[in-house]
Amino acid sequence: MKTEWTLKEISEWVKDNSKVRIPAIQRGLVWKPNQVELLWDSILRQFPIGAFMLSYKDEMYDLIDGQQRWNAIASGYSTSNDGCILWIDLKPESVWKEGNTTRKYFIRVTTKAHPWGYEADDKCNPLKTAQKRAALEEFGVNTDDEYKGIISLTETYPIESGVPIPLCWMVAAGEEYSEDKYGFAEYIMDKIGENKVSRMFKLKNVDEINACLIAKYHDVFKRLSSFKVPTIRIDQETINKESENKSGNGTLSDIEILFNRIGTGGTRITERELMYSAVKAYWPELTKENDRLAALYMPPHTLISLAFQLVLSDTNKGLERTPDVTKIRKLAGNDGVRNAINNLYLTDGNKSVMSRILSLVDQWLTDCDKIPKVLRTTIARESSVVYLLLMAFAKWKEEGQIDPTLKEEALFRATAYYLHWMVGDKFGVANSIYQAVANNPLNEWGTIIKQVLLVSCVKGTITPLLSPEAFKGLFTIEGDKNWRPNENGRSSMPWWLLWDTVSYNREMLLYAQREYMCKRFPNYDPARQDLWEDKNRPWDFDHIIPQDWIHKQWSKRQAYTDYCEAWKDNNGNMAAIPFWVNRAKSNEANWDEYEHNSANLLADEEITRFGELFNGMLNGKVEQAKRFAEKTFTRMCKIYNEVYTLLKPVDFRVGEITFTEEGGIKDRKERMTDICDILVNEGFTAGIYFLYNNIMEYPQENIDDWTWEWMSCGCITENKYYAAFTMVLNQQDGSIVNQIEIGLRRLPKTAERIGEVTNMQLLQLKGYETYDLYKDNSWWHICKVISIDTDNNVIINELRELAKFASTKLQ
């Protein structure tokens, strides 16, 4: 076994005939740019960079630790501009400030996400927006190209540099002319000359480069051929053994603990990445097609995990969770699973089944490219079980289990986005939908999915929708400087979570202005978000009314500063627009982008008059502050209308949706409804109420109200008492607790109970000695517990007597 490797040998590990296999954790340039740049500074200074850990078996090596160092080294040797380019700055002194760096050699990185490079210090932070815009102007690149995702690295260079040239040129020159300084310099000058014709790289200040400048670096690069990196060997048997074990804490596998302990400063390997390494070992035939498809949709380890989950879901008749390394190893010997997985990826000259599944899911989530791809990618990464559910639907359609003549794309799309935005227990609800729709005709799925969502309300992890009309009527904005949307009990209302979500979920904003997004940024798709951080998106979220108009003269807070602050970051006052447009707009009265894209940005009809209406400052005047709140609310309602139209196919408050399964919810609804109807027919004022958030009771109005844990039914007296019985729903399984509380208490929605039941008053009730008296209870005055099996007539008689007593004996 080799004990050390040259840099050239390491750079060639990626070749097909290499004896070293790189794990299939295709994370690209995962290291931060400063790590890559400083690694090469260390190499050029002949500093040790740590050992690579390899396993050796059957005359082949597997890289166990050091992938990111390998990737950084290989990038320095690469003449390709796909993904990233490494540069060396020959005149860094014109850019670097004294004290900003510990480096001697100034290696710079440009990537697809940052084609302009990074700031000139050891932190290598992303450039500010103004710097990016200036860079594009210097490159001569149309700013719109950046938004459309078509900037090529051949058109850019690290803007924060003096005289950068590709590092690979210097590396190649040092190898070929290790003993010839002049040949070394001539090689680079020839490359520069050739580049004027081929334009393989865009060079900066190329006229300042001469042979003397280049020759200064000859001794540095000629030493690269003698730079060697040592190897630490780990037995393959050890890896195999440790992969099968679980650690004592039950959270990490022993192999993951091993990798983390032997790590040399690299990025921590995730469970899915470990799983993909296991797939590479036992299903090597999958990785080529998986990596090809992953480049279009999501990280490859996410895709391969979904593929295994898809196959295992069919086998187990329920959605499968992400398999770990141990499970992958065990499945390798299962011929049925192996064949099913292989069949997904088999191409045989045609598109693979997996390719067709992903294409169909993509059509559903993007509405055939009418919805920004970034939303599809976010679902794949952050709500992968939702993506898995759609993959299952697509697979059923591929296999002919779904009637291809029925068009249910809107239902599938609504289901996915509702689960992604409005559901806490995504796996549980998605799994319930998967099991409920299986083997049922497609034309019944809409009702089935609504029923699943409705029943899932029991656990309180689902946010019900309101009609756009109801949303618009949630409150009337007042001009009182102390008025806030969340006060006067509104934050405890059942609809508050919906309001809060729509107010601040930026994905909903992107969806609402989807036509604008697709027009402005048609090719932007961070499918590989391991390379694209959120801050690299080509848009800013702009405050339509600038923040400074609210916070102006912050040291002298105005009467309406806090009033306006409550609306400042609301989606109604936000829009996603190109970052350079946003920066040009700044705090000025400039709404040209909104005027030119009025419909697609849901702009206010008076947007061109905002400067006049608000006069650059709106925190001290009631009419301006109130107008700002009203216009923000109006635009928010427009946003909600767009979102609701998308989600309406799964709104379980619409249509004749009922509880079909026997037990809990259905039984309680039928029982309370029957008793309430009888009481009303007898002349009582009767009602059914649910308790929300253990604070306030509200009258039952919507079908989903029946899913709340505590519900009461009874008579309301003229003097504000409530003779009622309460049934409690078990939030774990939806069953009814086998006891009923019955008694007398305050009227729902009153701030305090009225009056007090005394012992003397209690004794006046014939047969009511069995009730417990509560003098200090904020709920019951008198109460007793009865069996769930108590006859309805008995309950009705009790309620009659309690109501009559409260009406005549209590003040």
Side-chain angles (χ1 to χ4, degrees):
M1 178 175 174
K2 285 176 66 69
T3 58
E4 57 184 11
W5 303 75
T6 66
L7 295 175
K8 179 69 171 176
E9 290 173 329
I10 292 169
S11 72
E12 293 177 345
W13 284 353
V14 72
K15 292 184 177 180
D16 291 338
N17 61 354
S18 172
K19 287 186 173 294
V20 178
R21 294 177 294 208
I22 305 298
I25 307 173
Q26 302 292 335
R27 294 185 293 180
L29 192 64
V30 186
W31 259 12
K32 300 296 183 184
N34 66 322
Q35 292 175 291
V36 177
E37 294 181 7
L38 293 177
L39 177 77
W40 268 99
D41 178 57
S42 295
I43 290 172
L44 295 177
R45 296 167 81 169
Q46 297 288 300
F47 289 176
I49 61 170
F52 285 95
M53 184 166 290
L54 303 173
S55 67
Y56 183 69
K57 185 179 181 182
D58 298 330
E59 298 186 354
M60 290 294 294
Y61 300 89
D62 282 300
L63 179 61
I64 302 302
D65 179 63
Q67 181 191 355
Q68 291 142 344
R69 280 173 293 149
W70 159 77
N71 196 40
I73 291 170
S75 296
Y77 279 78
S78 175
T79 58
S80 168
N81 53 51
D82 182 29
C84 75
I85 297 177
L86 301 192
W87 307 74
I88 181 168
D89 190 355
L90 303 181
K91 286 189 174 182
E93 62 276 3
S94 62
V95 174
W96 290 77
K97 297 177 182 178
E98 186 176 353
N100 271 17
T101 184
T102 60
R103 64 183 80 187
K104 183 176 181 180
Y105 301 102
F106 295 82
I107 308 302
R108 309 309 316 278
V109 176
T110 55
T111 69
K112 285 183 177 180
H114 294 271
W116 35 67
Y118 300 83
E119 289 187 344
D121 57 38
D122 279 1
K123 293 181 180 179
C124 293
N125 291 320
L127 298 184
K128 304 294 189 297
T129 298
Q131 294 172 299
K132 294 176 185 177
R133 186 183 178 195
L136 293 178
E137 291 175 355
E138 182 172 320
F139 299 149
V141 173
N142 188 325
T143 51
D144 277 347
D145 287 346
E146 201 277 326
Y147 313 133
K148 294 174 181 176
I150 58 176
I151 284 188
S152 168
L153 289 182
T154 61
E155 300 176 293
T156 69
Y157 45 73
I159 196 72
E160 292 279 289
S161 60
V163 182
I165 65 171
L167 178 63
C168 62
W169 288 358
M170 300 288 275
V171 170
E175 286 186 345
E176 189 167 344
Y177 297 97
S178 60
E179 302 302 325
D180 183 356
K181 179 182 294 188
Y182 299 104
F184 174 85
E186 187 176 350
Y187 177 93
I188 298 299
M189 295 303 297
D190 286 345
K191 282 290 186 183
I192 293 172
E194 293 170 7
N195 194 74
K196 290 180 179 179
V197 178
S198 67
R199 298 185 180 277
M200 184 174 182
F201 298 99
K202 190 177 186 72
L203 300 181
K204 177 183 182 183
N205 298 330
V206 67
D207 293 338
E208 297 182 22
I209 303 176
N210 55 55
C212 292
L213 177 62
I214 297 168
K216 292 193 303 183
Y217 290 89
H218 175 256
D219 288 346
V220 175
F221 282 92
K222 80 174 186 179
R223 296 198 303 262
L224 288 185
S225 59
S226 61
F227 190 99
K228 294 182 179 180
V229 183
T231 293
I232 297 174
R233 174 179 174 177
I234 180 170
D235 291 336
Q236 185 66 39
E237 289 73 15
T238 300
I239 296 174
N240 294 342
K241 178 182 178 182
E242 295 302 312
S243 296
E244 295 172 351
N245 297 332
K246 267 291 186 184
S247 66
N249 61 20
T251 57
L252 301 177
S253 65
D254 284 353
I255 191 63
E256 186 174 8
I257 292 174
L258 170 65
F259 283 170
N260 288 332
R261 287 182 180 175
I262 65 178
T264 54
T267 304
R268 184 176 177 218
I269 299 173
T270 68
E271 187 72 26
R272 280 189 171 179
E273 291 167 339
L274 282 171
M275 183 274 297
Y276 194 28
S277 289
V279 172
K280 176 66 179 290
Y282 298 105
W283 276 274
E285 66 273 20
L286 302 181
T287 55
K288 183 177 180 180
E289 175 69 357
N290 187 76
D291 292 349
R292 183 187 73 82
L293 294 172
L296 302 174
Y297 299 103
M298 66 193 79
H301 52 79
T302 300
L303 179 57
I304 198 69
S305 173
L306 287 170
F308 273 86
Q309 290 172 263
L310 183 62
V311 168
L312 295 174
S313 297
D314 275 352
T315 302
N316 299 332
K317 307 303 180 186
L319 292 182
E320 186 76 12
R321 295 187 184 272
T322 303
D324 58 17
V325 174
T326 303
K327 190 161 191 173
I328 292 297
R329 178 180 294 278
K330 290 179 179 178
L331 291 173
N334 186 318
D335 291 340
V337 172
R338 177 175 286 278
N339 290 336
I341 292 288
N342 286 343
N343 287 338
L344 280 180
Y345 285 96
L346 183 64
T347 56
D348 194 25
N350 299 311
K351 286 186 177 181
S352 64
V353 173
M354 179 61 80
S355 176
R356 294 195 292 273
I357 287 173
L358 294 175
S359 178
L360 195 52
V361 172
D362 198 54
Q363 291 178 37
W364 293 340
L365 289 177
T366 67
D367 194 10
C368 297
D369 294 331
K370 295 175 185 175
I371 298 174
K373 290 185 177 70
V374 66
L375 296 181
R376 171 260 283 158
T377 300
T378 303
I379 289 179
R381 288 184 61 87
E382 298 179 7
S383 301
S384 60
V385 69
V386 177
Y387 201 92
L388 174 63
L389 180 65
L390 292 193
M391 288 177 70
F393 294 168
K395 184 171 182 289
W396 290 347
K397 187 168 186 177
E398 175 76 16
E399 295 171 346
Q401 297 182 44
I402 294 179
D403 186 346
T405 64
L406 294 176
K407 302 297 183 182
E408 293 293 344
E409 290 87 348
L411 174 63
F412 297 160
R413 189 160 43 251
T415 301
Y417 282 100
Y418 187 86
L419 288 172
H420 177 56
W421 287 335
M422 302 292 195
V423 175
D425 179 18
K426 293 180 177 58
F427 185 90
V429 177
N431 189 40
S432 296
I433 291 174
Y434 176 88
Q435 294 174 322
V437 300
N439 303 317
N440 282 290
L442 184 57
N443 59 6
E444 297 179 8
W445 281 25
T447 300
I448 293 172
I449 290 173
K450 285 183 180 181
Q451 288 175 333
V452 170
L453 294 174
L454 177 58
V455 173
S456 298
C457 286
V458 173
K459 295 184 178 179
T461 62
I462 284 182
T463 304
L465 298 170
L466 294 173
S467 69
E469 295 75 21
F471 189 88
K472 189 175 182 180
L474 289 178
F475 47 71
T476 300
I477 294 172
E478 300 174 11
D480 185 336
K481 66 180 181 181
N482 296 315
W483 189 88
R484 304 286 184 274
N486 63 335
E487 294 184 353
N488 197 25
R490 283 185 287 269
S491 63
S492 63
M493 295 286 191
W495 50 262
W496 181 259
L497 182 57
L498 175 66
W499 165 267
D500 198 55
T501 301
V502 180
S503 293
Y504 301 106
N505 187 322
R506 300 295 189 236
E507 289 183 28
M508 291 184 174
L509 175 60
L510 296 182
Y511 176 79
Q513 58 174 70
R514 60 196 177 280
E515 291 185 33
Y516 175 86
M517 299 297 292
C518 291
K519 176 184 175 182
R520 268 299 205 174
F521 320 107
N523 297 319
Y524 177 72
D525 177 20
R528 289 293 307 278
Q529 283 189 346
D530 48 348
L531 301 180
W532 292 83
E533 299 176 58
D534 181 62
K535 66 185 107 180
N536 297 320
R537 68 194 176 214
W539 62 79
D540 277 344
F541 285 107
D542 173 49
H543 288 84
I544 298 173
I545 293 296
Q547 299 182 72
D548 278 2
W549 288 25
I550 295 169
H551 296 300
K552 210 168 189 178
Q553 300 179 3
W554 185 257
S555 60
K556 300 177 182 178
R557 297 179 69 84
Q558 304 295 310
Y560 282 85
T561 297
D562 292 336
Y563 178 98
C564 295
E565 173 74 16
W567 293 95
K568 173 176 65 72
D569 297 326
N570 187 289
N571 273 338
N573 189 45
M574 305 296 294
I577 61 176
F579 69 78
W580 72 269
V581 174
N582 183 30
R583 292 305 184 247
K585 172 179 177 288
S586 187
N587 296 325
E588 303 299 323
N590 177 1
W591 291 278
D592 290 347
E593 187 75 6
Y594 296 88
E595 183 180 1
H596 296 152
N597 301 276
S598 177
N600 292 341
L601 284 175
L602 292 79
D604 189 276
E605 59 185 12
E606 294 187 295
I607 189 74
T608 59
R609 296 185 57 231
F610 271 21
E612 170 192 342
L613 295 174
F614 300 110
N615 197 28
M617 177 176 162
L618 51 87
N619 56 13
K621 300 177 181 178
V622 58
E623 65 275 9
Q624 290 189 350
K626 185 171 183 288
R627 184 183 296 124
F628 168 56
E630 289 172 340
K631 289 188 175 296
T632 301
F633 180 45
T634 298
R635 185 168 180 273
M636 185 180 172
C637 290
K638 292 181 182 179
I639 292 169
Y640 181 71
N641 188 63
E642 297 294 324
V643 171
Y644 181 80
T645 300
L646 167 69
L647 303 181
K648 185 177 179 180
V650 295
D651 183 2
F652 41 78
R653 291 185 173 185
V654 175
E656 298 299 321
I657 304 301
T658 60
F659 300 103
T660 57
E661 296 182 0
E662 295 295 331
I665 303 173
K666 183 172 182 287
D667 288 352
R668 180 168 71 175
K669 178 179 181 294
E670 291 178 351
R671 188 170 200 174
M672 287 190 164
T673 302
D674 288 346
I675 291 176
C676 187
D677 288 344
I678 291 172
L679 291 171
V680 170
N681 289 335
E682 292 182 357
F684 289 96
T685 300
I688 300 172
Y689 292 81
F690 67 91
L691 178 66
Y692 175 72
N693 209 22
N694 289 322
I695 297 176
M696 190 77 78
E697 286 189 285
Y698 296 91
Q700 184 278 317
E701 297 175 343
N702 301 297
I703 183 68
D704 53 292
D705 294 340
W706 292 104
T707 66
W708 292 103
E709 183 179 10
W710 295 82
M711 291 197 75
S712 300
C713 171
C715 305
I716 301 170
T717 67
E718 291 185 0
N719 57 346
K720 309 300 183 183
Y721 283 91
Y722 188 40
F725 72 100
T726 298
M727 300 178 72
V728 184
L729 196 66
N730 188 317
Q731 290 187 296
Q732 297 301 315
D733 59 12
S735 64
I736 288 290
V737 175
N738 61 6
Q739 292 180 328
I740 295 175
E741 293 182 356
I742 188 169
L744 187 66
R745 57 187 172 88
R746 64 193 177 107
L747 177 67
K749 296 190 74 171
T750 56
E752 297 178 0
R753 64 180 185 174
I754 301 172
E756 182 178 285
V757 180
T758 65
N759 286 325
M760 183 62 69
Q761 291 170 326
L762 181 60
L763 291 174
Q764 293 176 1
L765 284 171
K766 182 179 179 181
Y768 280 81
E769 292 85 353
T770 57
Y771 280 75
D772 293 322
L773 172 66
Y774 298 98
K775 290 188 175 182
D776 300 317
N777 188 287
S778 61
W779 190 257
W780 292 112
H781 293 312
I782 56 174
C783 173
K784 69 177 178 180
V785 174
I786 60 177
S787 169
I788 193 72
D789 298 323
T790 302
D791 187 81
N792 282 359
N793 290 326
V794 174
I795 294 176
I796 292 170
N797 287 332
E798 295 275 353
L799 295 178
R800 289 193 193 107
E801 295 298 323
L802 285 171
K804 291 176 182 177
F805 171 74
S807 297
T808 58
K809 302 295 183 181
L810 299 180
Q811 301 302 317

